[in-house]
Amino acid sequence: MALVAAACGSDDDDSTDAPDEAAESGGEFTIYNCEPQNLMTGNSSEVCGSSVLEQLYSGLTAVDYDTGEAYGVVATDWETEDNVTWTFNLRDDFTFHNGDPVTAQTFADTWNWVVDPDNAQQNANFYDKILGYEDVINGDAEELEGVRVIDDTTLEIELNEPFSPLPIMLSYTGFYPLPDEAFEDIEAFQESPIGNGRYQMDGEWQHDVEIAMERYEDWPGDDPGVADRIVWRIYDDINTAYLDVQAGELDVLKQIPPERETTVENDFGENLVRTDTSSFTYMGFPLYQEEFQDPDVRHAMSMAIDRQAIIDAIFNGARSPATAVIPPVLPQHREDACDYCHFDPEAAAEMYDEAGGPDELTLYFNSGAGHEDWVEAIANQWQENLGVEEISFEDLEFAQYLDLHDNAEVTGPFRLGWVLSYPSPQYAMEPIYTTGVSSNYTHYSNEEFDNLITEANGVQDQAEADALYQEAEDILLEDLPIIPLWYETRTTVHTDRVSNVEVDPRTFVRVEQIQVTE
C-alpha cells in the first residue's frame, strides 16, 4: 500500500499550484506502471494500483505535502472535541462518473461493505478504530455502529478510543467511496471502475498492457487534471521502460533501473527529477518459519550487510542507509536508532553461529523492477560474512508476489518496501508491524509494541505522541522482524513532450499536474 511495491497507499494532490489551465491544459501522455494486484479501493495496498486509484477517486480528505496536514476534498471541514466523535461536513456537488451523487450515505455504505468479512478486503483493518468494527468482523453486526449518516452532507464517526490522525488517515485509498453499481458485480466493476475523481476510465483495464483514463469534466474540485488523457503503460521490465523513454515511446518513468544511475544525467539532461522520498526498502523475515524466530539470527543477518557498499556500487549513491523505520522525511526520524543496522561482519558471524543460523536460504523478490543485482549482492555478503553455504532465488511479477505473501507461502528473507500514504509515524509502523494487520507479511506480534502505538494514537500533545512512537520503534528495532536497508532518492525521467513533472514523498508522480507541451 502501502507497499512499494507495497502498500502500500493513496491520497489526493499536494498544494503545488497547477499550470494555468486556460493556456496549458489538454493533450495526452503516457506513464510507466507495473501491473496492479487489483483496482479495488478496499483491497489495494500497493503503489501500482493506488497511484491509478487516486486519480479515479476523491476521498473525504487529502494531504498537503508542504504542511503534512489534511485538507478537505469531498469534506469541507470537520470537528471533534475529544478525538473520539468526529463530524465531517461534505460538499453537495461531487458525483460519480456515472452521474450518481456522492453523499454521506455513499461513504457509510462503502465502508460497511469493505469491513464485511465476506468481502475479504485487505484494507478492512484500517477501520478497526471505528466503533463496532469487531462486531462486524465477528458476525455480530452488519454495519459499523460508529458510522452515522446525519443527512446527505453530514457524516458522524465515533471511534473506540481517541485517534488524532483520523482526518489524515481518511485520505487513504481504502476510504474512497464506491457507487451502488459497484456492489452488483464487484469483480466486473474493477475492470473499469467508476469513481468520483479528476479522471475517469477510458475503456477497460487491459491487463499487462495499459490503463487509460480521461479527464472528468464535471469534477468540482479547485484543481482539476491538466492533461485530457493519461495512459498508464504496464511493463514487466523496467529496463524496457527506460529504453522506451529514451526512444520517445513512453513519456514518464517514475523509477529508473539502479544500474542506470551512472548514465542517467547524460541520457536525459534536464529531463530528470530527483526527489527525497519516504520509500523504505527492507528484507523481511517470515517469522512463521522456525529458522528465523531467534532475534539473534535476524540481528546477525542485518549486521552482515554492508549497505553503503551496495548503495555505492549498484545505486551510484542514490540511496541512504536505513538506520530506523521512521523515515528521514518525518521530523520524528532519529539517526542511528537501530543498534543492528551497522556493518560488523565479525560480530555478525559470531552471533549467527551461536544462534544456529540456517546454512541454506531462499531469497524472494518481485521481478522486473531492478532488484536482481542488489538482492544478489546481499546474498553474496551473507555467504562471505556468515558462511551461508547455499542461496537460491525466487522471483515473481509483483501481483503474484503479493499473492504469495497473502498466502504465507514465503520460506526465506523477502524484499519489500513501504511508502507513507500520509505523513505520520503511525503510518510508518502500525499498518505493517502490528498484530494481525493485512500487510504484516512477517507475522510479527508484540503486545507491548501494539499498546504503545495505540497509546500514541490517542495522545493530543504532539511531542508526547512522538516520544511514544519512538519508544515503539525502539521495540521494533530490537525485535527486528525486518532488516532496514535504505531510503530512496527517487529518480524520475521524462521526454520533452511533458513538463511540470513532480514527485511527492510517497514516490507518486503528480500526474494531474503534468502539462503536455507538444
Side-chain angles (χ1 to χ4, degrees):
M1 353 323 228
L3 293 169
V4 177
C8 60
S10 311
D11 322 304
D12 241 271
D13 73 332
D14 59 21
S15 63
T16 304
D17 294 335
D20 181 68
E21 202 183 337
E24 301 174 343
S25 64
E28 172 183 330
F29 68 90
T30 56
I31 182 170
Y32 162 89
N33 206 25
C34 46
E35 173 76 353
Q37 189 181 25
N38 60 72
L39 285 182
M40 278 304 305
T41 60
N43 213 25
S44 178
S45 60
E46 43 80 21
V47 297
C48 305
S50 296
S51 57
V52 173
L53 290 169
E54 78 157 7
Q55 298 302 324
L56 297 175
Y57 291 88
S58 295
L60 287 174
T61 65
V63 178
D64 181 333
Y65 283 97
D66 286 341
T67 65
E69 297 178 353
Y71 68 92
V73 183
V74 177
T76 59
D77 56 81
W78 51 88
E79 58 186 16
T80 183
E81 294 182 355
D82 55 9
N83 286 332
V84 174
T85 301
W86 299 71
T87 300
F88 285 80
N89 298 306
L90 279 58
R91 298 174 60 144
D92 63 2
D93 54 356
F94 263 88
T95 63
F96 287 105
H97 301 148
N98 63 3
D100 291 351
V102 178
T103 67
Q105 189 65 53
T106 304
F107 283 92
D109 290 344
T110 300
W111 295 358
N112 283 318
W113 185 89
V114 171
V115 172
D116 185 341
D118 290 341
N119 298 320
Q121 298 294 286
Q122 292 187 82
N123 289 326
N125 54 30
F126 279 87
Y127 293 78
D128 65 355
K129 295 170 178 58
I130 297 178
L131 185 66
Y133 170 83
E134 290 295 337
D135 290 337
V136 175
I137 292 298
N138 294 331
D140 297 327
E142 294 184 356
E143 297 183 346
L144 293 162
E145 181 182 347
V147 177
R148 295 186 282 269
V149 175
I150 307 305
D151 55 43
D152 281 352
T153 58
T154 311
L155 183 68
E156 187 175 86
I157 303 171
E158 184 178 353
L159 308 179
N160 298 311
E161 55 197 9
F163 184 67
S164 56
L166 180 66
I168 204 166
M169 186 180 77
L170 292 178
S171 69
Y172 180 62
T173 313
F175 295 97
Y176 290 160
L178 294 172
D180 291 342
E181 185 175 331
F183 309 123
E184 297 173 7
D185 186 342
I186 204 69
E187 292 299 323
F189 177 80
Q190 75 160 333
E191 297 303 309
S192 185
I194 298 169
N196 65 321
R198 292 180 182 83
Y199 287 87
Q200 61 184 343
M201 292 288 290
D202 183 12
E204 292 192 347
W205 171 12
Q206 298 180 47
H207 290 268
D208 299 309
V209 179
E210 68 178 33
I211 299 168
M213 57 179 65
E214 60 185 3
R215 187 170 55 200
Y216 181 52
E217 301 299 341
D218 292 330
W219 191 76
D222 297 330
D223 48 355
V226 174
D228 289 335
R229 192 167 185 266
I230 301 171
V231 179
W232 304 80
R233 292 266 178 84
I234 298 172
Y235 288 79
D236 61 8
D237 185 352
I238 199 168
N239 274 288
T240 302
Y242 188 90
L243 294 174
D244 279 358
V245 184
Q246 285 186 293
E249 299 296 324
L250 177 71
D251 289 313
V252 183
L253 175 60
K254 57 186 178 179
Q255 179 180 5
I256 70 170
E259 63 271 21
R260 299 288 186 172
E261 288 287 354
T262 58
T263 62
V264 66
E265 292 186 9
N266 289 331
D267 291 343
F268 286 94
E270 295 182 354
N271 289 348
L272 67 86
V273 179
R274 284 199 171 100
T275 311
D276 291 333
T277 74
S278 65
S279 178
F280 168 63
T281 298
Y282 64 86
M283 293 293 288
F285 293 100
L287 300 185
Y288 47 84
Q289 296 288 332
E290 183 177 356
E291 59 265 43
F292 303 110
Q293 291 175 2
D294 187 335
D296 278 345
V297 170
R298 308 193 293 269
H299 296 161
M301 293 178 75
S302 178
M303 291 192 296
I305 298 174
D306 189 342
R307 294 160 175 78
Q308 191 63 59
I310 295 174
I311 290 170
D312 292 341
I314 295 177
F315 298 104
N316 196 35
R319 302 288 187 275
S320 299
T323 59
V325 294
I326 298 176
V329 295
L330 294 180
Q332 297 84 2
H333 171 75
R334 296 169 294 163
E335 292 187 8
D336 299 321
C338 176
D339 291 337
Y340 305 103
C341 295
H342 58 282
F343 180 51
D344 190 341
E346 293 182 359
E350 182 179 353
M351 185 180 294
Y352 195 76
D353 183 61
E354 291 179 355
D359 294 327
E360 298 180 1
L361 294 172
T362 300
L363 307 191
Y364 292 77
F365 62 96
N366 53 297
S367 61
H371 303 309
E372 291 83 355
D373 288 347
W374 69 257
V375 171
E376 184 176 352
I378 287 178
N380 291 338
Q381 291 185 0
W382 280 343
Q383 288 185 307
E384 179 180 352
N385 299 326
L386 300 178
V388 178
E389 295 175 0
E390 182 177 341
I391 297 181
S392 58
F393 303 92
E394 289 283 347
D395 61 303
L396 295 168
E397 292 185 5
F398 189 58
Q400 289 73 37
Y401 184 62
L402 290 184
D403 289 340
L404 197 70
H405 285 287
D406 290 338
N407 296 325
E409 295 175 351
V410 173
T411 62
F414 55 87
R415 173 269 159 198
L416 272 177
W418 192 249
V419 295
L420 301 184
S421 290
Y422 51 88
S424 168
Q426 175 266 337
Y427 192 80
M429 295 186 287
E430 184 171 9
I432 49 176
Y433 305 118
T434 51
T435 302
V437 294
S438 61
S439 294
N440 184 351
Y441 293 127
T442 66
H443 291 222
Y444 172 68
S445 179
N446 184 305
E447 184 177 0
E448 185 180 3
F449 171 82
D450 293 350
N451 291 339
L452 281 167
I453 293 291
T454 299
E455 185 180 356
N457 289 344
V459 172
Q460 295 189 15
D461 180 77
Q462 187 63 57
E464 184 180 351
D466 290 349
L468 290 168
Y469 285 127
Q470 290 170 341
E471 189 177 344
E473 183 186 29
D474 288 339
I475 293 173
L476 186 65
L477 291 170
E478 180 62 33
D479 289 346
L480 215 66
I482 57 99
I483 297 176
L485 292 176
W486 41 74
Y487 313 107
E488 181 181 357
T489 299
R490 175 60 59 96
T491 302
T492 300
V493 296
H494 60 87
T495 65
D496 291 330
R497 291 190 63 254
V498 295
S499 63
N500 202 42
V501 178
E502 296 186 4
V503 179
D504 65 30
R506 301 167 304 160
T507 73
F508 282 23
V509 177
R510 304 311 316 158
V511 296
E512 74 280 359
Q513 299 177 176
I514 289 179
Q515 175 191 340
V516 180
T517 57
E518 294 183 8

